Amino acid sequence: MKQLIWGLIAIFSISIVHAKTILISDIDDTIKNSHVLNKVDAAINPGYIENLVLGMNVVYGAVKKNEPKSEIFYVTNALKSIMEASHEEFLKLNKFPAGSIRLRESLMQDNFKITELRKILAKEQPDTAILIGDNGEKDILVYEQVKEEHPQIRFLTYVHLAYSHTSREETGGVITSDQIGFVTSLDLMLQLRKEGVVSNAETLSFVDFFTKAFAEDSGMVDTGPTVIPFWSDCSDFIWTAPDEDLVTSANYLAAKKRIFKRCDISRGED
């Protein structure tokens, strides 16, 4: 019996040691405010490498700190010939964790992102894959498809709700039941803490940073780091991030209230 118990412990220990997590992230409208559904802004914003979705760099850094051996992949449909230098500068300027940047070689590559994700998963063989994208283009469908194709992998899928599905001109996609919508780096951080991929200490430190930065963010600037850009319609968002331990923080509650007011929502509010 003792041998059986020690054998099970050894197997369990090995599985923990070799557990592997990867993070695959889109760039435009996910970590960078690009406004891709607007033709004018989509043409202008590639040059603005400071258009950070405020706090996303810190969130990714927290994932890397909690999982030092985790690999990060920045996979975007943007054309390599046009956007490679800009995206590299954006990631470097805003101090995102180092990772592999994958861009589309040609306009003829209609299935570039799903193909690239399959390649990454086949090579990395992760136990957990964190997928982060937005609802402006095809991330919702691509992430759901790749999840269905790899049932052996634990997928954590988060979608930045930069657009509303009810908008006539800039229509956002609707997330699936397995995907979590987020509207700021704050609620994303709380969702990641829930799944154990960022630490509680890093989360609490982030909340302090975020609430101070958000207090100084007017939300009406054209360029630069912004929590929720003025053009975004985040009315599809429903707050589901667990935050019971933060309800005594006046700064946190003020930030959360401001998010709800900005997105004109009440569902999920305490």
Side-chain angles (χ1 to χ4, degrees), residues 94-159:
N94 294 292
K95 297 180 172 58
F96 278 90
S100 175
I101 307 175
R102 312 287 180 90
L103 297 97
R104 191 163 47 145
E105 296 280 354
S106 166
L107 288 173
M108 302 300 292
Q109 292 177 292
D110 291 335
N111 297 317
F112 166 76
K113 183 167 282 192
I114 185 67
T115 301
E116 207 61 35
L117 263 60
R118 288 169 180 155
K119 290 179 182 178
I120 293 170
L121 295 172
K123 180 180 179 181
E124 299 297 323
Q125 295 290 306
D127 298 278
T128 298
I130 304 169
L131 307 179
I132 304 180
D134 65 86
N135 72 334
E137 295 186 294
K138 299 179 180 180
D139 287 347
I140 292 173
L141 297 177
V142 169
Y143 289 172
E144 181 63 16
Q145 183 176 343
V146 78
K147 174 181 177 293
E148 292 177 354
E149 293 175 357
H150 300 81
Q152 78 281 9
I153 299 175
R154 175 196 182 208
F155 283 95
L156 302 174
T157 305
Y158 305 96
V159 179

Short mmCIF file of all heavy atoms in Angstrom, two decimals, residues 94-159:
data_model
loop_
_atom_site.label_atom_id
_atom_site.label_comp_id
_atom_site.label_asym_id
_atom_site.label_seq_id
_atom_site.Cartn_x
_atom_site.Cartn_y
_atom_site.Cartn_z
N ASN A 94 6.11 49.55 -24.56
CA ASN A 94 5.20 49.36 -23.44
C ASN A 94 5.59 48.21 -22.51
O ASN A 94 4.81 47.81 -21.65
CB ASN A 94 3.78 49.15 -23.98
CG ASN A 94 3.26 50.40 -24.66
OD1 ASN A 94 3.02 51.41 -24.03
ND2 ASN A 94 3.11 50.34 -25.99
N LYS A 95 6.79 47.68 -22.72
CA LYS A 95 7.39 46.70 -21.82
C LYS A 95 6.55 45.44 -21.63
O LYS A 95 6.38 44.94 -20.51
CB LYS A 95 7.70 47.36 -20.46
CG LYS A 95 8.73 48.49 -20.55
CD LYS A 95 8.99 49.09 -19.19
CE LYS A 95 10.16 50.08 -19.23
NZ LYS A 95 9.96 51.19 -20.18
N PHE A 96 6.03 44.92 -22.73
CA PHE A 96 5.37 43.63 -22.68
C PHE A 96 6.42 42.53 -22.55
O PHE A 96 7.55 42.70 -23.02
CB PHE A 96 4.54 43.40 -23.94
CG PHE A 96 3.19 44.04 -23.91
CD1 PHE A 96 3.01 45.34 -24.37
CD2 PHE A 96 2.09 43.36 -23.41
CE1 PHE A 96 1.77 45.94 -24.34
CE2 PHE A 96 0.84 43.96 -23.37
CZ PHE A 96 0.67 45.25 -23.83
N PRO A 97 6.09 41.41 -21.93
CA PRO A 97 7.05 40.30 -21.85
C PRO A 97 7.46 39.86 -23.24
O PRO A 97 6.67 39.89 -24.18
CB PRO A 97 6.26 39.20 -21.14
CG PRO A 97 5.16 39.90 -20.43
CD PRO A 97 4.81 41.09 -21.26
N ALA A 98 8.70 39.47 -23.37
CA ALA A 98 9.21 39.01 -24.66
C ALA A 98 8.44 37.78 -25.11
O ALA A 98 8.03 36.95 -24.31
CB ALA A 98 10.69 38.68 -24.55
N GLY A 99 8.24 37.68 -26.41
CA GLY A 99 7.53 36.54 -26.96
C GLY A 99 7.68 36.50 -28.47
O GLY A 99 8.25 37.40 -29.08
N SER A 100 7.17 35.44 -29.06
CA SER A 100 7.22 35.28 -30.51
C SER A 100 6.10 36.09 -31.16
O SER A 100 4.94 36.00 -30.74
CB SER A 100 7.07 33.80 -30.86
OG SER A 100 7.00 33.61 -32.26
N ILE A 101 6.45 36.89 -32.16
CA ILE A 101 5.45 37.71 -32.87
C ILE A 101 5.17 37.06 -34.22
O ILE A 101 6.07 36.85 -35.02
CB ILE A 101 5.95 39.15 -33.07
CG1 ILE A 101 6.37 39.76 -31.74
CG2 ILE A 101 4.86 40.00 -33.71
CD1 ILE A 101 6.98 41.15 -31.87
N ARG A 102 3.91 36.74 -34.46
CA ARG A 102 3.51 36.10 -35.71
C ARG A 102 2.56 37.01 -36.48
O ARG A 102 1.49 37.37 -35.96
CB ARG A 102 2.82 34.76 -35.43
CG ARG A 102 3.56 33.85 -34.42
CD ARG A 102 4.80 33.24 -35.02
NE ARG A 102 5.51 32.39 -34.07
CZ ARG A 102 5.28 31.09 -33.92
NH1 ARG A 102 4.36 30.48 -34.65
NH2 ARG A 102 5.99 30.38 -33.05
N LEU A 103 2.93 37.40 -37.70
CA LEU A 103 2.10 38.24 -38.54
C LEU A 103 1.85 37.57 -39.88
O LEU A 103 2.63 36.73 -40.33
CB LEU A 103 2.74 39.61 -38.77
CG LEU A 103 2.96 40.49 -37.54
CD1 LEU A 103 4.38 40.35 -37.03
CD2 LEU A 103 2.68 41.95 -37.87
N ARG A 104 0.79 37.99 -40.52
CA ARG A 104 0.41 37.42 -41.82
C ARG A 104 1.36 37.87 -42.92
O ARG A 104 1.68 39.05 -43.05
CB ARG A 104 -1.02 37.86 -42.13
CG ARG A 104 -1.67 37.16 -43.29
CD ARG A 104 -3.17 37.31 -43.29
NE ARG A 104 -3.64 38.67 -43.08
CZ ARG A 104 -4.73 39.18 -43.65
NH1 ARG A 104 -5.45 38.44 -44.49
NH2 ARG A 104 -5.12 40.40 -43.38
N GLU A 105 1.82 36.93 -43.70
CA GLU A 105 2.75 37.22 -44.79
C GLU A 105 2.06 37.83 -46.01
O GLU A 105 2.63 38.64 -46.73
CB GLU A 105 3.47 35.94 -45.22
CG GLU A 105 4.36 35.33 -44.14
CD GLU A 105 5.70 36.01 -44.02
OE1 GLU A 105 5.99 36.89 -44.86
OE2 GLU A 105 6.46 35.67 -43.11
N SER A 106 0.80 37.43 -46.24
CA SER A 106 0.10 37.84 -47.46
C SER A 106 -1.40 37.99 -47.20
O SER A 106 -1.96 37.34 -46.31
CB SER A 106 0.32 36.80 -48.56
OG SER A 106 -0.57 36.99 -49.64
N LEU A 107 -2.02 38.86 -47.98
CA LEU A 107 -3.48 39.02 -47.90
C LEU A 107 -4.21 37.75 -48.30
O LEU A 107 -5.40 37.57 -48.01
CB LEU A 107 -3.93 40.18 -48.78
CG LEU A 107 -3.57 41.59 -48.30
CD1 LEU A 107 -3.93 42.61 -49.36
CD2 LEU A 107 -4.28 41.90 -46.99
N MET A 108 -3.52 36.87 -49.00
CA MET A 108 -4.12 35.61 -49.45
C MET A 108 -4.28 34.60 -48.33
O MET A 108 -4.96 33.59 -48.48
CB MET A 108 -3.27 35.00 -50.58
CG MET A 108 -3.09 35.92 -51.78
SD MET A 108 -4.66 36.37 -52.56
CE MET A 108 -5.15 34.77 -53.23
N GLN A 109 -3.66 34.85 -47.18
CA GLN A 109 -3.73 33.92 -46.05
C GLN A 109 -4.99 34.19 -45.22
O GLN A 109 -4.95 34.75 -44.13
CB GLN A 109 -2.48 34.07 -45.18
CG GLN A 109 -1.20 33.61 -45.84
CD GLN A 109 0.01 33.84 -44.96
OE1 GLN A 109 0.40 34.98 -44.69
NE2 GLN A 109 0.60 32.75 -44.48
N ASP A 110 -6.11 33.72 -45.73
CA ASP A 110 -7.38 33.95 -45.05
C ASP A 110 -7.47 33.23 -43.71
O ASP A 110 -8.14 33.68 -42.79
CB ASP A 110 -8.55 33.51 -45.95
CG ASP A 110 -8.71 34.41 -47.16
OD1 ASP A 110 -8.28 35.58 -47.08
OD2 ASP A 110 -9.24 33.94 -48.19
N ASN A 111 -6.82 32.08 -43.61
CA ASN A 111 -6.89 31.27 -42.39
C ASN A 111 -5.59 31.34 -41.59
O ASN A 111 -5.23 30.39 -40.90
CB ASN A 111 -7.20 29.81 -42.75
CG ASN A 111 -8.54 29.67 -43.42
OD1 ASN A 111 -9.53 30.27 -43.00
ND2 ASN A 111 -8.60 28.88 -44.49
N PHE A 112 -4.91 32.47 -41.68
CA PHE A 112 -3.60 32.59 -41.05
C PHE A 112 -3.64 32.32 -39.55
O PHE A 112 -2.85 31.53 -39.02
CB PHE A 112 -3.03 34.00 -41.28
CG PHE A 112 -1.85 34.31 -40.40
CD1 PHE A 112 -0.60 33.78 -40.68
CD2 PHE A 112 -1.99 35.11 -39.27
CE1 PHE A 112 0.48 34.05 -39.86
CE2 PHE A 112 -0.92 35.40 -38.45
CZ PHE A 112 0.32 34.86 -38.75
N LYS A 113 -4.57 32.95 -38.83
CA LYS A 113 -4.54 32.86 -37.37
C LYS A 113 -4.82 31.44 -36.88
O LYS A 113 -4.10 30.93 -36.01
CB LYS A 113 -5.52 33.85 -36.74
CG LYS A 113 -5.48 33.85 -35.22
CD LYS A 113 -6.20 35.03 -34.62
CE LYS A 113 -5.37 36.29 -34.70
NZ LYS A 113 -5.91 37.40 -33.88
N ILE A 114 -5.84 30.79 -37.40
CA ILE A 114 -6.15 29.43 -36.96
C ILE A 114 -5.02 28.48 -37.32
O ILE A 114 -4.66 27.59 -36.53
CB ILE A 114 -7.50 28.93 -37.55
CG1 ILE A 114 -7.86 27.57 -36.99
CG2 ILE A 114 -7.46 28.88 -39.06
CD1 ILE A 114 -8.18 27.55 -35.53
N THR A 115 -4.40 28.68 -38.49
CA THR A 115 -3.27 27.85 -38.89
C THR A 115 -2.09 28.05 -37.96
O THR A 115 -1.43 27.08 -37.55
CB THR A 115 -2.85 28.18 -40.33
OG1 THR A 115 -3.95 27.96 -41.21
CG2 THR A 115 -1.68 27.32 -40.78
N GLU A 116 -1.83 29.29 -37.59
CA GLU A 116 -0.70 29.60 -36.72
C GLU A 116 -0.94 29.04 -35.31
O GLU A 116 -0.01 28.52 -34.67
CB GLU A 116 -0.49 31.11 -36.66
CG GLU A 116 0.93 31.53 -36.37
CD GLU A 116 1.93 31.06 -37.41
OE1 GLU A 116 1.59 31.00 -38.60
OE2 GLU A 116 3.07 30.74 -37.01
N LEU A 117 -2.17 29.14 -34.83
CA LEU A 117 -2.48 28.59 -33.51
C LEU A 117 -2.30 27.07 -33.48
O LEU A 117 -1.79 26.51 -32.50
CB LEU A 117 -3.91 28.96 -33.11
CG LEU A 117 -4.04 30.19 -32.21
CD1 LEU A 117 -3.48 31.44 -32.88
CD2 LEU A 117 -5.50 30.42 -31.80
N ARG A 118 -2.71 26.41 -34.55
CA ARG A 118 -2.52 24.96 -34.63
C ARG A 118 -1.04 24.60 -34.57
O ARG A 118 -0.64 23.65 -33.91
CB ARG A 118 -3.15 24.43 -35.91
CG ARG A 118 -4.67 24.42 -35.91
CD ARG A 118 -5.20 24.14 -37.30
NE ARG A 118 -6.66 24.12 -37.35
CZ ARG A 118 -7.36 24.37 -38.45
NH1 ARG A 118 -6.73 24.68 -39.60
NH2 ARG A 118 -8.68 24.32 -38.43
N LYS A 119 -0.22 25.37 -35.29
CA LYS A 119 1.23 25.12 -35.29
C LYS A 119 1.81 25.28 -33.89
O LYS A 119 2.61 24.46 -33.43
CB LYS A 119 1.93 26.08 -36.25
CG LYS A 119 1.67 25.85 -37.72
CD LYS A 119 2.40 26.90 -38.55
CE LYS A 119 2.13 26.73 -40.04
NZ LYS A 119 2.80 27.79 -40.84
N ILE A 120 1.41 26.34 -33.21
CA ILE A 120 1.92 26.62 -31.87
C ILE A 120 1.53 25.52 -30.90
O ILE A 120 2.37 25.00 -30.14
CB ILE A 120 1.39 27.98 -31.37
CG1 ILE A 120 1.99 29.12 -32.20
CG2 ILE A 120 1.73 28.17 -29.88
CD1 ILE A 120 1.36 30.47 -31.94
N LEU A 121 0.27 25.11 -30.93
CA LEU A 121 -0.21 24.09 -30.01
C LEU A 121 0.44 22.73 -30.29
O LEU A 121 0.76 21.99 -29.36
CB LEU A 121 -1.73 23.98 -30.10
CG LEU A 121 -2.51 25.22 -29.63
CD1 LEU A 121 -3.99 25.07 -29.94
CD2 LEU A 121 -2.30 25.47 -28.14
N ALA A 122 0.65 22.43 -31.56
CA ALA A 122 1.28 21.16 -31.92
C ALA A 122 2.73 21.12 -31.43
O ALA A 122 3.20 20.08 -30.96
CB ALA A 122 1.23 20.96 -33.43
N LYS A 123 3.42 22.24 -31.53
CA LYS A 123 4.81 22.28 -31.11
C LYS A 123 4.96 22.36 -29.60
O LYS A 123 5.80 21.66 -29.00
CB LYS A 123 5.51 23.48 -31.75
CG LYS A 123 6.98 23.59 -31.36
CD LYS A 123 7.64 24.79 -32.02
CE LYS A 123 9.11 24.89 -31.60
NZ LYS A 123 9.78 26.06 -32.22
N GLU A 124 4.15 23.19 -28.95
CA GLU A 124 4.32 23.44 -27.52
C GLU A 124 3.69 22.37 -26.63
O GLU A 124 4.14 22.15 -25.51
CB GLU A 124 3.74 24.81 -27.16
CG GLU A 124 4.41 25.98 -27.86
CD GLU A 124 5.87 26.12 -27.49
OE1 GLU A 124 6.21 25.87 -26.32
OE2 GLU A 124 6.67 26.48 -28.38
N GLN A 125 2.61 21.74 -27.12
CA GLN A 125 1.92 20.70 -26.33
C GLN A 125 1.61 21.19 -24.91
O GLN A 125 1.99 20.54 -23.92
CB GLN A 125 2.76 19.43 -26.29
CG GLN A 125 2.98 18.74 -27.63
CD GLN A 125 1.70 18.11 -28.15
OE1 GLN A 125 1.04 17.31 -27.48
NE2 GLN A 125 1.34 18.45 -29.37
N PRO A 126 0.90 22.30 -24.77
CA PRO A 126 0.66 22.84 -23.43
C PRO A 126 -0.45 22.09 -22.69
O PRO A 126 -1.32 21.46 -23.30
CB PRO A 126 0.21 24.27 -23.73
CG PRO A 126 -0.50 24.16 -25.04
CD PRO A 126 0.28 23.13 -25.82
N ASP A 127 -0.40 22.18 -21.37
CA ASP A 127 -1.51 21.68 -20.56
C ASP A 127 -2.61 22.75 -20.48
O ASP A 127 -3.79 22.43 -20.46
CB ASP A 127 -1.02 21.35 -19.15
CG ASP A 127 0.03 20.26 -19.15
OD1 ASP A 127 -0.35 19.09 -19.22
OD2 ASP A 127 1.23 20.59 -19.13
N THR A 128 -2.17 24.02 -20.42
CA THR A 128 -3.10 25.14 -20.35
C THR A 128 -2.71 26.17 -21.41
O THR A 128 -1.54 26.52 -21.54
CB THR A 128 -3.07 25.81 -18.97
OG1 THR A 128 -3.49 24.87 -17.97
CG2 THR A 128 -4.00 27.02 -18.93
N ALA A 129 -3.70 26.65 -22.16
CA ALA A 129 -3.48 27.70 -23.15
C ALA A 129 -4.41 28.86 -22.83
O ALA A 129 -5.63 28.70 -22.79
CB ALA A 129 -3.75 27.19 -24.56
N ILE A 130 -3.81 30.02 -22.58
CA ILE A 130 -4.57 31.24 -22.33
C ILE A 130 -4.69 31.98 -23.65
O ILE A 130 -3.68 32.34 -24.27
CB ILE A 130 -3.87 32.14 -21.29
CG1 ILE A 130 -3.63 31.36 -19.99
CG2 ILE A 130 -4.70 33.39 -21.02
CD1 ILE A 130 -2.70 32.08 -19.03
N LEU A 131 -5.92 32.19 -24.11
CA LEU A 131 -6.16 32.89 -25.37
C LEU A 131 -6.80 34.24 -25.07
O LEU A 131 -7.83 34.30 -24.39
CB LEU A 131 -7.09 32.07 -26.27
CG LEU A 131 -6.71 30.62 -26.55
CD1 LEU A 131 -7.77 29.96 -27.43
CD2 LEU A 131 -5.34 30.53 -27.21
N ILE A 132 -6.19 35.32 -25.56
CA ILE A 132 -6.73 36.65 -25.31
C ILE A 132 -6.87 37.39 -26.65
O ILE A 132 -5.90 37.52 -27.40
CB ILE A 132 -5.82 37.45 -24.35
CG1 ILE A 132 -5.64 36.66 -23.05
CG2 ILE A 132 -6.42 38.82 -24.07
CD1 ILE A 132 -4.75 37.35 -22.02
N GLY A 133 -8.08 37.83 -26.93
CA GLY A 133 -8.35 38.52 -28.19
C GLY A 133 -9.41 39.58 -28.00
O GLY A 133 -9.64 40.07 -26.90
N ASP A 134 -10.09 39.94 -29.10
CA ASP A 134 -11.13 40.96 -29.02
C ASP A 134 -12.31 40.55 -29.90
O ASP A 134 -12.24 39.57 -30.64
CB ASP A 134 -10.59 42.32 -29.47
CG ASP A 134 -10.18 42.32 -30.94
OD1 ASP A 134 -11.05 42.56 -31.79
OD2 ASP A 134 -9.00 42.07 -31.23
N ASN A 135 -13.39 41.29 -29.79
CA ASN A 135 -14.61 40.93 -30.54
C ASN A 135 -14.80 41.78 -31.79
O ASN A 135 -15.90 41.90 -32.30
CB ASN A 135 -15.84 41.04 -29.64
CG ASN A 135 -16.23 42.47 -29.30
OD1 ASN A 135 -15.38 43.38 -29.29
ND2 ASN A 135 -17.50 42.70 -29.00
N GLY A 136 -13.69 42.36 -32.30
CA GLY A 136 -13.80 43.20 -33.48
C GLY A 136 -13.74 42.45 -34.79
O GLY A 136 -14.35 42.86 -35.78
N GLU A 137 -13.00 41.33 -34.81
CA GLU A 137 -12.86 40.60 -36.07
C GLU A 137 -13.18 39.11 -35.87
O GLU A 137 -14.31 38.77 -35.57
CB GLU A 137 -11.46 40.84 -36.66
CG GLU A 137 -11.26 42.31 -37.04
CD GLU A 137 -9.95 42.56 -37.75
OE1 GLU A 137 -8.89 42.39 -37.14
OE2 GLU A 137 -10.00 42.96 -38.93
N LYS A 138 -12.18 38.22 -35.95
CA LYS A 138 -12.48 36.79 -35.98
C LYS A 138 -12.00 36.01 -34.75
O LYS A 138 -12.08 34.78 -34.74
CB LYS A 138 -11.87 36.16 -37.24
CG LYS A 138 -12.43 36.73 -38.54
CD LYS A 138 -11.77 36.06 -39.74
CE LYS A 138 -12.31 36.63 -41.05
NZ LYS A 138 -11.67 35.99 -42.23
N ASP A 139 -11.50 36.69 -33.75
CA ASP A 139 -10.92 35.98 -32.62
C ASP A 139 -11.90 35.03 -31.94
O ASP A 139 -11.54 33.91 -31.54
CB ASP A 139 -10.38 36.97 -31.58
CG ASP A 139 -9.11 37.65 -32.06
OD1 ASP A 139 -8.52 37.18 -33.05
OD2 ASP A 139 -8.71 38.65 -31.44
N ILE A 140 -13.14 35.46 -31.79
CA ILE A 140 -14.14 34.63 -31.11
C ILE A 140 -14.29 33.29 -31.81
O ILE A 140 -14.24 32.22 -31.17
CB ILE A 140 -15.50 35.36 -31.05
CG1 ILE A 140 -15.41 36.57 -30.11
CG2 ILE A 140 -16.61 34.40 -30.59
CD1 ILE A 140 -16.65 37.44 -30.12
N LEU A 141 -14.45 33.30 -33.12
CA LEU A 141 -14.65 32.06 -33.88
C LEU A 141 -13.39 31.22 -33.93
O LEU A 141 -13.44 29.99 -33.78
CB LEU A 141 -15.12 32.40 -35.30
CG LEU A 141 -16.46 33.12 -35.41
CD1 LEU A 141 -16.76 33.45 -36.87
CD2 LEU A 141 -17.59 32.27 -34.84
N VAL A 142 -12.25 31.87 -34.13
CA VAL A 142 -10.97 31.14 -34.22
C VAL A 142 -10.65 30.46 -32.90
O VAL A 142 -10.26 29.29 -32.86
CB VAL A 142 -9.84 32.10 -34.63
CG1 VAL A 142 -8.48 31.42 -34.45
CG2 VAL A 142 -10.01 32.55 -36.07
N TYR A 143 -10.82 31.18 -31.80
CA TYR A 143 -10.50 30.61 -30.49
C TYR A 143 -11.44 29.47 -30.13
O TYR A 143 -11.03 28.47 -29.53
CB TYR A 143 -10.56 31.70 -29.42
CG TYR A 143 -9.43 32.70 -29.48
CD1 TYR A 143 -9.44 33.85 -28.68
CD2 TYR A 143 -8.35 32.53 -30.35
CE1 TYR A 143 -8.40 34.77 -28.73
CE2 TYR A 143 -7.31 33.45 -30.41
CZ TYR A 143 -7.35 34.57 -29.60
OH TYR A 143 -6.32 35.48 -29.66
N GLU A 144 -12.70 29.60 -30.51
CA GLU A 144 -13.64 28.52 -30.23
C GLU A 144 -13.31 27.29 -31.06
O GLU A 144 -13.38 26.14 -30.58
CB GLU A 144 -15.07 28.98 -30.52
CG GLU A 144 -16.15 27.94 -30.23
CD GLU A 144 -16.25 27.55 -28.78
OE1 GLU A 144 -15.70 28.28 -27.92
OE2 GLU A 144 -16.88 26.51 -28.48
N GLN A 145 -12.94 27.50 -32.31
CA GLN A 145 -12.60 26.37 -33.19
C GLN A 145 -11.38 25.62 -32.68
O GLN A 145 -11.37 24.39 -32.64
CB GLN A 145 -12.35 26.87 -34.62
CG GLN A 145 -12.05 25.74 -35.61
CD GLN A 145 -11.90 26.24 -37.04
OE1 GLN A 145 -12.31 27.35 -37.37
NE2 GLN A 145 -11.32 25.42 -37.90
N VAL A 146 -10.35 26.35 -32.29
CA VAL A 146 -9.12 25.69 -31.85
C VAL A 146 -9.35 24.96 -30.53
O VAL A 146 -8.75 23.91 -30.26
CB VAL A 146 -7.96 26.72 -31.74
CG1 VAL A 146 -8.05 27.55 -30.48
CG2 VAL A 146 -6.62 26.02 -31.79
N LYS A 147 -10.24 25.47 -29.72
CA LYS A 147 -10.59 24.78 -28.47
C LYS A 147 -11.29 23.46 -28.76
O LYS A 147 -10.99 22.43 -28.13
CB LYS A 147 -11.50 25.68 -27.62
CG LYS A 147 -12.05 25.03 -26.36
CD LYS A 147 -12.94 25.99 -25.61
CE LYS A 147 -13.55 25.32 -24.39
NZ LYS A 147 -14.49 24.25 -24.75
N GLU A 148 -12.20 23.46 -29.70
CA GLU A 148 -12.92 22.23 -30.06
C GLU A 148 -11.98 21.19 -30.66
O GLU A 148 -12.18 19.98 -30.48
CB GLU A 148 -14.04 22.55 -31.04
CG GLU A 148 -15.18 23.37 -30.42
CD GLU A 148 -16.24 23.74 -31.43
OE1 GLU A 148 -16.04 23.44 -32.65
OE2 GLU A 148 -17.27 24.32 -31.04
N GLU A 149 -10.94 21.64 -31.36
CA GLU A 149 -9.99 20.73 -31.99
C GLU A 149 -8.99 20.11 -31.02
O GLU A 149 -8.33 19.12 -31.34
CB GLU A 149 -9.22 21.47 -33.09
CG GLU A 149 -10.07 21.89 -34.27
CD GLU A 149 -9.30 22.73 -35.28
OE1 GLU A 149 -8.11 23.02 -35.03
OE2 GLU A 149 -9.89 23.10 -36.31
N HIS A 150 -8.87 20.70 -29.81
CA HIS A 150 -7.87 20.23 -28.86
C HIS A 150 -8.51 20.00 -27.48
O HIS A 150 -8.24 20.74 -26.52
CB HIS A 150 -6.73 21.25 -28.75
CG HIS A 150 -6.01 21.50 -30.03
ND1 HIS A 150 -6.49 22.35 -31.00
CD2 HIS A 150 -4.83 21.01 -30.51
CE1 HIS A 150 -5.64 22.37 -32.02
NE2 HIS A 150 -4.63 21.57 -31.74
N PRO A 151 -9.36 18.99 -27.35
CA PRO A 151 -10.06 18.76 -26.09
C PRO A 151 -9.15 18.39 -24.92
O PRO A 151 -9.56 18.46 -23.77
CB PRO A 151 -11.02 17.61 -26.44
CG PRO A 151 -10.38 16.92 -27.59
CD PRO A 151 -9.72 18.00 -28.39
N GLN A 152 -7.92 17.97 -25.22
CA GLN A 152 -6.99 17.57 -24.18
C GLN A 152 -6.33 18.76 -23.48
O GLN A 152 -5.68 18.60 -22.44
CB GLN A 152 -5.89 16.66 -24.77
CG GLN A 152 -4.79 17.38 -25.54
CD GLN A 152 -5.19 17.77 -26.97
OE1 GLN A 152 -6.35 17.66 -27.37
NE2 GLN A 152 -4.22 18.20 -27.75
N ILE A 153 -6.51 19.96 -24.04
CA ILE A 153 -5.89 21.16 -23.48
C ILE A 153 -6.92 21.96 -22.68
O ILE A 153 -8.07 22.08 -23.08
CB ILE A 153 -5.31 22.04 -24.61
CG1 ILE A 153 -4.22 21.29 -25.38
CG2 ILE A 153 -4.74 23.35 -24.04
CD1 ILE A 153 -3.68 22.04 -26.58
N ARG A 154 -6.49 22.49 -21.57
CA ARG A 154 -7.32 23.40 -20.78
C ARG A 154 -7.19 24.80 -21.38
O ARG A 154 -6.13 25.40 -21.35
CB ARG A 154 -6.87 23.42 -19.32
CG ARG A 154 -7.60 24.42 -18.44
CD ARG A 154 -6.82 24.63 -17.15
NE ARG A 154 -7.48 25.55 -16.24
CZ ARG A 154 -6.86 26.31 -15.34
NH1 ARG A 154 -5.53 26.24 -15.24
NH2 ARG A 154 -7.53 27.11 -14.55
N PHE A 155 -8.28 25.29 -21.95
CA PHE A 155 -8.27 26.62 -22.55
C PHE A 155 -8.93 27.63 -21.63
O PHE A 155 -10.02 27.38 -21.09
CB PHE A 155 -9.01 26.61 -23.89
CG PHE A 155 -8.22 26.01 -25.02
CD1 PHE A 155 -8.39 24.67 -25.36
CD2 PHE A 155 -7.30 26.76 -25.73
CE1 PHE A 155 -7.66 24.10 -26.39
CE2 PHE A 155 -6.56 26.20 -26.77
CZ PHE A 155 -6.74 24.86 -27.09
N LEU A 156 -8.29 28.77 -21.46
CA LEU A 156 -8.86 29.91 -20.76
C LEU A 156 -8.93 31.03 -21.79
O LEU A 156 -7.90 31.56 -22.21
CB LEU A 156 -7.97 30.33 -19.59
CG LEU A 156 -7.70 29.25 -18.53
CD1 LEU A 156 -6.68 29.75 -17.50
CD2 LEU A 156 -8.99 28.81 -17.85
N THR A 157 -10.15 31.37 -22.21
CA THR A 157 -10.32 32.31 -23.33
C THR A 157 -10.98 33.60 -22.86
O THR A 157 -12.06 33.58 -22.25
CB THR A 157 -11.18 31.67 -24.43
OG1 THR A 157 -10.60 30.43 -24.83
CG2 THR A 157 -11.26 32.59 -25.64
N TYR A 158 -10.31 34.70 -23.15
CA TYR A 158 -10.79 36.02 -22.73
C TYR A 158 -10.88 36.94 -23.95
O TYR A 158 -9.95 37.02 -24.74
CB TYR A 158 -9.85 36.61 -21.68
CG TYR A 158 -9.67 35.69 -20.50
CD1 TYR A 158 -8.57 34.84 -20.42
CD2 TYR A 158 -10.60 35.65 -19.47
CE1 TYR A 158 -8.40 33.97 -19.36
CE2 TYR A 158 -10.45 34.79 -18.40
CZ TYR A 158 -9.35 33.95 -18.35
OH TYR A 158 -9.20 33.08 -17.29
N VAL A 159 -12.01 37.63 -24.06
CA VAL A 159 -12.27 38.46 -25.23
C VAL A 159 -12.53 39.91 -24.81
O VAL A 159 -13.44 40.17 -24.01
CB VAL A 159 -13.48 37.93 -26.03
CG1 VAL A 159 -13.75 38.82 -27.24
CG2 VAL A 159 -13.24 36.49 -26.47
#
